[in-house]
Amino acid sequence: MSQIGRHLSRRAALRGMAACCAGAGTPFAFNLLGIGAAAQAQAVADYKALVCIFLFGGNDQSNTVIPREGAAYSSYAAARPTLARPSGDLVPLTVQDWSGPALGLPPELSGLAGLFNTGRMAIVANTGTLLYPTTQAQILNGSVALPRQLFSHSDQQNSWQTGLPDRDSRSGWLGRIGDVIEPLANGGALAPICMSVAGNNVLQAGDTTVQYQLTTNGPVAVRNLERLYGVSASGTAYRSVLTQPRTNLLEAEYTGIVSRAIATETEVTAALAGIPALTTGFPQTRLGAQMGMIARMIAARSALGQNRQVFFAAIGGWDFHDNLLADQANRLTELGDAMAAFNAATEELGVAPAVTTFTASDFGRALQYNGRGSDHGWGAHHFVMGGAVRGGRVFGRWPDVALGSADDAGQGRLIPTTSVDEYAAELAGWFGVPPGMLSDVIPHVGRFDRANMDFLT
């Protein structure tokens, strides 16, 4: 915990220097921040956004990215006698720079297969929570520390989002990215850098970063500020009571939160009202509505004064211990259609190279079937989409998808060959976090060899 405290103190010092020098002229101010931060200051004039889609429940990776022929398909099918997807139904992926097995996606993800094959999406293979690079032999002889409470939904969601699978943390790595970037990128913008359309999450919580909650219809307004009980004077009095200065610390904090909420809602509502409607249509699903709102917030970035934005969307219900084939197909359809529409929206807005969308999930699933479904696993494959993605490629080491392989932690649970730390570090570096500050955002990143996976340009 003391290590995290030192990281936070360093960020606070940088923020303080930036604030003190804000009126002294941009070059002078950023020279004081040091060479790394000065280089970062040159980058923040360019717009960028990160968009996380969290798949709550643990997506079954084995029926998402699938070997489609030869011995690799035979091993997959043998482990899943009633769950394997027919090889002839899979949409082929044309994988660049690849010596692994032929791969395909299920037909529900045909839109994403098209994005992959045209270079706008990549796959990061077998990613999961790790404390150190881990092998099967180390697990068997007990020579490596493992993340706490593996295969537990709540614990692994927390580990994924905090990037600290060995301890409790009130901050997540996207929130810590916001701590580093927001003072340099968004200046005096009222709307926070981190915004969620899927409720509160630890991933976007930072030291100073406070995530802003949106609905799929827009910001949440404090009610009755204009007219209370139908009387405008009552509404004015109500606003005054909510926002007037207080001396009690708890009352002052409450007043500050309410005042900020009112001001931010007013600004965001006005910014959204001023943008033209997108011609891109979004599917009428929960995730489709979330991605549509994110696209609108990106369109409003200039009105909001934001050069950097971080979004969180989510879709639940991926815990398929039963009825995997039918239920996962429905979820994959919702995911694929929403991601394809969002990609089209970023192209319509002319920001596709500046927006990177990525998936995350509690964990993957065991390859071994339980009859009609699959049980909790560990490593999983994830999608990264956008104009800056080195698309059409698979990053990280592809695992041996077979029961009893060297990548099997038991029942076909994949031992991750890419850590969440490496995944997060690549996203953070692209977003503008200087290399010297990556350990502030992802404290364990130095334990892994591939801090830069090069799936983003």
Side-chain angles (χ1 to χ4, degrees), residues 224-270:
N224 298 321
L225 291 178
E226 301 303 323
R227 299 176 69 87
L228 180 61
Y229 300 118
V231 180
S232 60
S234 298
T236 301
Y238 179 46
R239 179 190 290 267
S240 177
V241 169
L242 289 175
T243 61
Q244 62 183 291
R246 307 281 182 170
T247 56
N248 179 278
L249 289 177
L250 290 177
E251 291 178 348
E253 181 65 17
Y254 176 80
T255 299
I257 291 171
V258 172
S259 298
R260 184 172 65 244
I262 293 171
T264 304
E265 183 274 326
T266 300
E267 181 178 270
V268 173
T269 297

Side-chain angles (χ1 to χ4, degrees), residues 22 31 59 126 231-232 237 341:
N31 282 339
N59 179 38
N126 195 18
V231 180
S232 60

Side-chain angles (χ1 to χ4, degrees), residues 59 118 120 175 222 280 287 374 417 439 456:
N59 179 38
T118 54
R120 286 168 288 177
V222 179
T280 300
L287 185 61
S374 58
T417 48
S439 62
L456 290 165

Side-chain angles (χ1 to χ4, degrees), residues 117 181 229 243 280 301 333:
N117 290 336
I181 296 296
Y229 300 118
T243 61
T280 300
R301 65 195 181 279
T333 298

Side-chain angles (χ1 to χ4, degrees), residues 328-383:
Q328 190 197 29
N330 292 333
R331 289 292 185 277
L332 291 176
T333 298
E334 183 171 354
L335 175 67
D337 290 353
M339 288 184 67
F342 184 70
N343 177 77
T346 62
E347 293 180 347
E348 179 184 345
L349 291 168
V351 295
V355 179
T356 296
T357 302
F358 63 98
T359 62
S361 191
D362 319 14
F363 37 61
R365 313 293 291 195
L367 175 64
Q368 181 174 303
Y369 83 124
N370 65 16
R372 285 167 48 91
S374 58
D375 296 324
H376 298 176
W378 193 355
H381 314 312
H382 288 285
F383 300 126

